């Protein structure tokens, strides 16, 4: 509302400036709410890690009308993505592609997939990434088992630079940020522990013992508790652990026994964050977060290399991997009851589906 000053009324020019400024302010405030443009802004990304040592990692795209496009990074940028794409993280308008055996992180516009930056440096085998606020992200890095040790990289997502390096346990893998506790939990897959870092000081706060198993995947439930799968590689025995992020205490342990199968160590959660999905070699199991024993039978009888759950509707996407031939790689979509809804061709080693708006 205009205020009359010294008996003067606002002129037409004053009114014009007011409207112009108001429009600018409104446009600036609402810019973040606009839909991202680009051919790959919506739909699904398929993370195809590729065959180790073959330099054939790719990202596929499935559109909302279920059209499949392979190798979108190569097509847009004109060169190879690299060797062993371990994971993809979406932070705002950018996608971070952690290409483990190529020792780099490719940063692309997630709508167009045009390269914005390539993060390299004195690190090797980057694995997973999680935003921790204030334009920072934590990245787990295995090292090269030689002169470069395992580490946690602190990345400035404005400058796309590694601004700090924190010592890590052996084989740091999945990364989960607890906003309520302002801590990062990282599974050390080459040992039997989970490292807990204080984000405000970038320091190790605690180490959680999950022996005799090795931790792998982690998710956060509706109560903010962190669940982790743990087993030895290729083992039929392991556990699901529920961790209180405030106290770092293990509150629940559910023993897993796959009998003649192997525990796959994948873990996902439904949109309500009260049903867990984990896998044995021949199927995917559903388990309430209030359960005390493992599920009796699989929800989906299909061997899953990757398990992802669509946050909008609870659909379960599993990746079927064939590392010995170019055929046989696909992602299959199921509803939350385990009924198949569609199958899509993938490239080598589909380990995750990323859900776009």
């Amino acid at each position: 509302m205009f205020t009359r000053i010294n008996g003067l009324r606002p002129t037409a020019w004053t009114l014009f400036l007011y409207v112009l400024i108001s429009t600018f302010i409104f446009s600036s405030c609402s810019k973040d709410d606009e839909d991202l443009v680009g051919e790959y802004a919506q739909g699904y990304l398929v993370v195809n890690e590729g065959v180790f040592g073959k330099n054939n990692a790719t990202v596929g795209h499935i559109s909302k009308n279920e059209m499949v496009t392979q190798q979108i990074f190569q097509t847009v940028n004109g060169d190879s993505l690299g060797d062993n794409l371990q994971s993809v993280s979406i932070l705002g308008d950018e996608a971070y592609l952690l290409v483990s055996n190529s020792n780099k992180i490719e940063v692309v516009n997630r709508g167009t997939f045009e390269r914005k930056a390539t993060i390299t440096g004195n690190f090797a085998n980057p694995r997973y990434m999680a935003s921790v606020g204030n334009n920072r992200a934590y990245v787990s890095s295995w090292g090269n088992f030689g002169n470069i040790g395992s580490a946690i990289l602190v990345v400035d997502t404005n400058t796309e630079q590694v601004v700090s390096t924190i010592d890590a346990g052996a084989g740091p893998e999945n990364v989960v940020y607890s906003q309520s506790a302002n801590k990062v939990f990282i599974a050390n897959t080459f040992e039997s522990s989970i490292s807990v870092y204080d984000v405000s000081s970038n320091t190790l706060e605690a180490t959680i013992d999950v022996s005799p198993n090795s931790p792998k995947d982690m998710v956060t439930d509706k109560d903010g508790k962190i669940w982790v799968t743990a087993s030895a590689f290729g083992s039929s025995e392991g556990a699901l652990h529920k961790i209180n992020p405030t106290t770092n205490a293990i509150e629940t342990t559910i023993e897993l026994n796959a009998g003649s199968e192997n525990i796959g160590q994948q873990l996902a959660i439904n949109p309500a964050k009260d049903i867990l999905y984990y896998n044995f070699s021949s199927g995917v199991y559903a388990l309430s977060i209030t359960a005390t024993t493992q599920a009796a039978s699989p929800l989906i009888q299909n061997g899953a290399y990757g398990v992802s759950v669509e946050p909008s509707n609870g659909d379960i996407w599993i990746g079927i991997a064939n590392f010995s031939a170019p055929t046989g790689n696909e992602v299959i979509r199921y509803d939350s009851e385990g009924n198949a809804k569609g199958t899509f061709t993938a490239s080598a080693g589909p380990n995750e589906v990323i859900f776009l708006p």
Side-chain angles (χ1 to χ4, degrees), residues 95-217:
Y96 290 77
L97 285 56
L98 279 69
V99 193
S100 183
N101 203 39
S102 292
N103 306 321
K104 65 176 181 176
I105 303 170
E106 293 283 7
V107 187
V108 301
N109 178 286
R110 68 172 176 85
T112 64
F113 244 68
E114 293 176 347
R115 178 193 278 123
K116 298 184 66 177
T118 301
I119 304 174
T120 58
N122 190 34
F123 65 87
N125 284 293
R127 305 294 289 177
Y128 290 90
M129 181 178 198
S131 172
V132 298
N134 297 320
N135 301 310
R136 292 183 304 153
Y138 272 33
V139 175
S140 58
S141 173
W142 278 1
N144 64 359
F145 314 104
N147 62 323
I148 299 177
S150 58
I152 306 304
L153 314 176
V154 182
V155 175
D156 184 321
T157 56
N158 276 336
T159 63
E160 314 298 3
Q161 298 289 324
V162 176
V163 294
S164 182
T165 302
I166 310 168
D167 289 340
E173 188 79 345
N174 203 259
V175 183
V176 166
Y177 172 57
S178 170
Q179 185 173 12
S180 62
N182 200 32
K183 301 175 186 177
V184 163
F185 293 75
I186 297 181
N188 299 314
T189 55
F190 297 165
E191 52 188 64
S192 300
S193 70
I194 298 169
S195 295
V196 184
Y197 295 89
D198 182 339
V199 171
S200 60
S201 61
N202 290 337
T203 57
L204 179 67
E205 175 183 294
T207 301
I208 303 170
D209 183 12
V210 294
S211 59
N213 300 304
S214 296
K216 173 64 166 62
D217 235 351

Side-chain angles (χ1 to χ4, degrees), residues 293-331:
T293 59
Q294 70 178 24
S297 58
L299 176 68
I300 298 170
Q301 290 185 313
N302 207 333
Y305 186 66
V307 181
S308 308
V309 178
E310 192 165 351
S312 63
N313 58 16
D315 282 356
I316 304 162
W317 293 69
I318 70 170
I320 305 296
N322 181 7
F323 291 104
S324 61
T327 58
N329 292 282
E330 58 191 15
V331 289

Side-chain angles (χ1 to χ4, degrees), residues 12 28 47 81 110 249 267 305 319 342 350:
S28 300
V47 181
L81 176 55
R110 68 172 176 85
L267 189 62
Y305 186 66

